[in-house]
Amino acid sequence: MGALWIAHVTVTDADAYGKYAELAGPAIAKHGGEFIARGGRFVQLEGKERPRNVVARFPSVEAAVDCYNSPEYQEALSHARGASERELMVVETSD
């Protein structure tokens, strides 16, 4: 089954976070991830609002977790730490 990688983000340092975004995209693509929503319009109905929301589709939960743990993504993530407040989850789809 497929999986969705869902990130809710508040950027606190745009320059550092820009470096994260530059490196994260190729790392996600390398692991079969495809962005389906990236910072678009949203309506917060419940919970803590984060102004940036990103959703990527992966072939499986394992592929998404492998991506997160990969050296390429961890390098990207080193630029996001301290430059953002984030929640990130992987959810298996029912397809």
Side-chain angles (χ1 to χ4, degrees):
M1 283 196 218
L4 297 177
W5 163 307
I6 305 169
H8 305 289
V9 184
T10 299
V11 175
T12 57
D13 180 337
D15 291 337
Y17 200 81
K19 183 66 173 172
Y20 159 78
E22 178 184 317
L23 297 171
I28 287 169
K30 179 178 178 180
H31 289 86
E34 174 188 1
F35 290 106
I36 58 175
R38 202 172 188 182
R41 192 176 88 138
F42 72 96
V43 176
Q44 185 73 31
L45 298 176
E46 294 186 19
K48 182 173 178 69
E49 182 173 313
R50 298 274 187 203
R52 182 163 177 79
N53 299 283
V54 178
V55 181
R57 180 182 299 123
F58 281 83
S60 66
V61 169
E62 293 77 18
V65 172
D66 287 347
C67 175
Y68 182 85
N69 291 319
S70 71
E72 300 88 357
Y73 186 78
Q74 288 299 307
E75 170 63 21
L77 191 56
S78 72
H79 297 281
R81 291 190 177 110
S84 62
E85 298 171 2
R86 311 164 19 113
E87 287 86 33
L88 175 64
M89 70 184 75
V90 174
V91 179
E92 187 172 58
T93 60
S94 57
D95 55 4

